[in-house]
């Protein structure tokens, strides 16, 4: 997220923007700022209410047409709203009372996620244009001490790796080990067996479906169970059922 | 700061700026009696005292004289059904001291339930249930003695 720092300091500060929105766009509207601890609480008329009406969350498309400064302001509005809802939820829980319309929390969190995604989009676009890289935190696939691959997130260190004892203790990568090889053999066998089991289960399930619903849409079945060979399933003896052929 | 990834700070480097902090704080009813200018918050586990101070001063415009934090570890208990030991998640609490002249009292969000209110709620629920049953009867008028799960 350091990239956000670059983005805001460069774009937000350098571009004197005059943007006029027409009325059809959704604009940021806030209540008057109270600037005290009562901001952590809902409007007093909603205290003890059974339902609080609220709108929907912000969509990505709506956020894309906002300026960086607007997004920045909106973030703080959402942050305060979330804090308020968390406070109200906690107090309701403690008093064993109803917390009205808990979906508000989900809406706020959804909006925050969307906002962050939009900022990230702008950030990568800016970095790709300027440096040719995404500007995201770099990383690579590594093999852990138990021979299992994982995504290693890189970060900055004040001293090089060979001097960094703490890093060496924390990050161990795979080196040949007899026991680990034996473990991997069994582990892979387990994965293989579970995969084969799932395949067989799907195969039998498709046969069952075909027996129960003779006029089924086979294209849909193929799409839902891509690993099942339909022709093979049709020639299976389970498909024919326990009756004499006509 | 926030839980995001920052470049390391080295002497002489530019000051780190925080954009889009994702910390949360909730004001909670104090577990122990406190002086009127001390407020108790539950906050993100990653927050430091400086973070709490900056968060309140910059975002909420609340002056903090002092901040103390503690991490509350709930008691372990037995799962009622399975019997194994379980524990709720730890919480970080921040005790924020505001200037001497300011005071805050946690408001009463819910009026105490009076007897009339309880009776009223009960009546309302009963009325709703009766209406629901009448609807059910109306729907099944033409098909008496059908099992309850049978519907179209």
């Amino acid at each position: 997220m350091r990239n956000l720092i670059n983005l805001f300091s460069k774009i937000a500060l350098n571009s004197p923007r005059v943007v006029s929105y027409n009325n059809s766009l959704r604009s940021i509207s806030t209540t008057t700022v109270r600037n005290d601890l009562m901001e952590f609480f809902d409007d007093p008329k909603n205290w003890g209410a059974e339902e609080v009406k609220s709108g929907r969350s912000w969509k990505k498309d709506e956020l894309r047409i906002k300026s960086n400064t607007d997004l920045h302001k909106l973030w703080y509005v959402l942050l305060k709203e979330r804090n308020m809802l968390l406070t109200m939820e906690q107090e309701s829980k403690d008093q064993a009372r109803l917390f009205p319309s808990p979906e508000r929390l989900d809406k706020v969190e959804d909006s925050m996620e969307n906002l962050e995604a939009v900022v990230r989009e702008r950030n990568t676009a800016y970095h790709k244009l300027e440096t040719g890289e995404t500007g995201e935190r770099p990383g690579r696939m590594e093999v852990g001490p138990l021979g299992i691959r994982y995504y290693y997130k890189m970060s900055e260190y004040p001293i090089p790796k060979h001097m960094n004892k703490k890093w060496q203790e924390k990050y161990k990568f795979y080196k040949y080990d007899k026991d680990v090889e034996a473990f991997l053999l069994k582990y892979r066998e387990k994965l293989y067996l579970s995969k084969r089991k799932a395949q067989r289960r799907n195969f039998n399930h498709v046969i069952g479906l075909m027996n129960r619903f003779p006029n089924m849409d086979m294209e849909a079945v193929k799409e839902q169970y891509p690993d099942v060979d339909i022709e093979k399933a049709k020639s299976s003896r389970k498909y024919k059922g326990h009756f004499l052929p006509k | 700061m926030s839980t995001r990834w920052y470049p390391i700070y080295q002497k002489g480097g530019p000051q780190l700026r925080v954009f889009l902090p994702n910390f949360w704080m909730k004001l909670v009813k104090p577990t122990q009696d406190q002086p009127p200018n001390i407020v108790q918050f539950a906050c993100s586990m990653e927050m430091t005292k400086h973070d709490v101070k900056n968060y309140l001063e910059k975002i909420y415009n609340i002056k903090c004289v002092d901040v103390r934090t503690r991490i509350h570890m709930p008691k372990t208990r037995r799962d009622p059904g399975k019997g194994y030991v379980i524990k709720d998640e730890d919480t970080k609490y921040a005790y924020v001291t505001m200037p001497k002249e300011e005071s805050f009292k946690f408001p009463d969000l819910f009026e105490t339930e009076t007897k009339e209110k309880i009776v009223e709620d009960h009546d309302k629920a009963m009325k709703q249930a009766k209406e629901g049953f009448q609807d059910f009867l109306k729907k099944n008028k033409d098909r008496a003695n059908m099992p309850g799960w049978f519907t179209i």
Side-chain angles (χ1 to χ4, degrees):
Chain A
M1 261 294 143
R2 62 190 301 192
N3 325 310
L4 291 179
I5 300 165
N6 294 339
L7 179 78
F8 275 113
S9 54
K10 279 176 189 150
I11 291 186
L13 299 180
N14 292 348
S15 59
R17 58 176 65 243
V18 183
V19 185
S20 61
Y21 299 112
N22 58 31
N23 288 334
S24 63
L25 299 179
R26 193 176 171 189
S27 60
I28 297 172
S29 63
T30 57
T31 46
T32 47
V33 183
R34 279 173 292 180
N35 273 343
D36 64 347
L37 284 168
M38 290 316 281
E39 269 189 283
F40 280 97
F41 298 96
D42 206 351
D43 200 355
K45 72 175 180 236
N46 291 336
W47 294 0
E50 278 184 10
E51 194 193 7
V52 178
K53 290 260 163 51
S54 59
R56 57 170 172 77
S57 51
W58 285 81
K59 291 177 184 174
K60 275 185 195 161
D61 284 339
E62 287 164 345
L63 294 167
R64 283 195 186 107
I65 51 178
K66 297 279 173 212
S67 67
N68 282 331
T69 37
D70 273 355
L71 289 186
H72 203 236
K73 283 173 192 167
L74 179 61
W75 179 265
Y76 286 96
V77 173
L78 292 169
L79 192 75
K80 281 185 175 182
E81 183 73 8
R82 187 178 66 173
N83 282 348
M84 182 276 279
L85 290 170
L86 286 174
T87 302
M88 297 303 281
E89 189 192 29
Q90 182 66 46
E91 180 60 10
S92 307
K93 215 179 262 174
D94 290 350
Q95 302 277 338
R97 301 290 285 267
L98 177 80
F99 171 54
S101 307
E103 75 275 5
R104 286 181 290 167
L105 255 174
D106 297 332
K107 284 177 188 174
V108 169
E109 253 149 42
D110 188 34
S111 304
M112 287 171 100
E113 254 169 47
N114 286 344
L115 199 156
E116 211 177 305
V118 169
V119 171
R120 179 163 269 126
E121 270 171 24
R122 289 182 190 183
N123 205 39
T124 43
Y126 171 80
H127 272 264
K128 273 189 179 164
L129 192 66
E130 293 287 319
T131 64
E133 286 164 8
T134 55
E136 292 288 329
R137 181 173 185 172
R140 59 170 187 270
M141 292 307 287
E142 275 289 354
V143 185
L146 283 180
I148 291 165
R149 283 159 66 79
Y150 73 103
Y151 187 73
Y152 168 71
K153 285 179 185 167
M154 294 197 255
S155 54
E156 293 178 328
Y157 296 96
I159 47 172
K161 231 183 270 178
H162 66 272
M163 291 160 71
N164 199 342
K165 252 193 184 159
K166 257 191 177 170
W167 182 87
Q168 285 170 15
E169 271 167 25
K170 193 175 173 191
Y171 292 100
K172 301 262 190 247
F173 300 119
Y174 180 64
K175 267 198 298 192
Y176 176 80
D177 186 311
K178 207 171 61 178
D179 299 332
V180 173
E181 288 295 325
F183 157 71
L184 281 176
L185 188 72
K186 287 186 174 133
Y187 180 66
R188 285 182 192 132
E189 185 186 357
K190 192 181 155 190
L191 290 184
Y192 168 70
L193 286 178
S194 64
K195 195 176 149 195
R196 205 177 63 177
K197 247 181 181 170
Q199 254 171 9
R200 173 82 7 213
R201 193 164 51 231
N202 283 344
F203 184 78
N204 287 336
H205 184 60
V206 167
I207 291 174
L209 285 176
M210 288 195 303
N211 282 336
R212 267 178 292 161
F213 309 106
N215 302 323
M216 199 165 42
D217 178 13
M218 293 318 284
E219 287 304 311
V221 175
K222 228 176 244 176
E223 202 171 293
Q224 197 173 350
Y225 303 100
D227 57 338
V228 175
D229 186 355
I230 305 277
E231 291 308 312
K232 200 179 165 195
K234 273 185 180 161
S235 65
S236 161
R237 69 187 163 77
K238 285 179 194 162
Y239 175 51
K240 287 161 191 166
H242 302 288
F243 52 81
L244 285 172
K246 278 176 195 167
Chain B
M1 297 283 259
S2 55
T3 57
R4 300 182 201 288
W5 186 62
Y6 288 90
I8 50 165
Y9 179 75
Q10 275 167 326
K11 217 174 170 186
Q15 189 189 343
L16 294 180
R17 302 282 172 188
V18 181
F19 293 100
L20 314 189
N22 57 1
F23 283 149
W24 55 266
M25 280 186 89
K26 48 187 176 187
L27 218 170
V28 293
K29 206 169 226 174
T31 37
Q32 309 286 330
D33 280 348
Q34 301 282 352
N37 62 337
I38 289 185
V39 195
Q40 186 177 345
F41 289 93
C43 59
S44 301
M45 194 52 96
E46 299 88 354
M47 277 176 110
T48 62
K49 287 173 195 178
H50 296 287
D51 286 335
V52 171
K53 190 176 156 80
N54 282 329
Y55 195 91
L56 289 176
E57 284 185 349
K58 297 277 156 49
I59 301 177
Y60 284 93
N61 211 359
I62 294 162
K63 281 214 175 66
C64 311
V65 176
D66 184 36
V67 178
R68 284 165 299 141
T69 56
R70 73 177 172 95
I71 294 173
H72 173 69
M73 187 168 81
K75 277 191 177 144
T76 53
R77 58 179 199 279
R78 294 263 171 195
D79 181 272
K82 307 277 184 182
Y84 44 67
V85 177
I86 52 171
K87 181 181 118 347
D88 291 330
E89 274 197 29
D90 291 359
T91 328
K92 180 171 261 190
Y93 286 113
Y95 297 87
V96 174
T97 314
M98 298 190 295
K100 224 189 262 171
E101 58 275 9
E102 284 183 36
S103 69
F104 174 78
K105 194 178 166 292
F106 200 90
D108 260 344
L109 298 185
F110 307 98
E111 79 261 28
T112 44
E113 284 201 309
T114 55
K115 224 171 190 180
E116 288 110 56
K117 183 84 173 43
I118 293 168
V119 169
E120 197 185 293
D121 281 354
H122 180 254
D123 287 352
K124 208 171 150 189
M126 278 305 279
K127 204 181 152 201
Q128 223 171 18
K130 274 179 188 167
E131 277 172 8
F133 185 60
Q134 288 302 324
D135 281 353
F136 174 75
L137 287 182
K138 209 171 149 192
K139 209 167 77 181
N140 295 293
K141 203 168 52 184
D142 300 332
R143 39 180 199 192
N145 299 332
M146 273 298 188
W149 48 263
F150 183 82
T151 186
I152 295 169

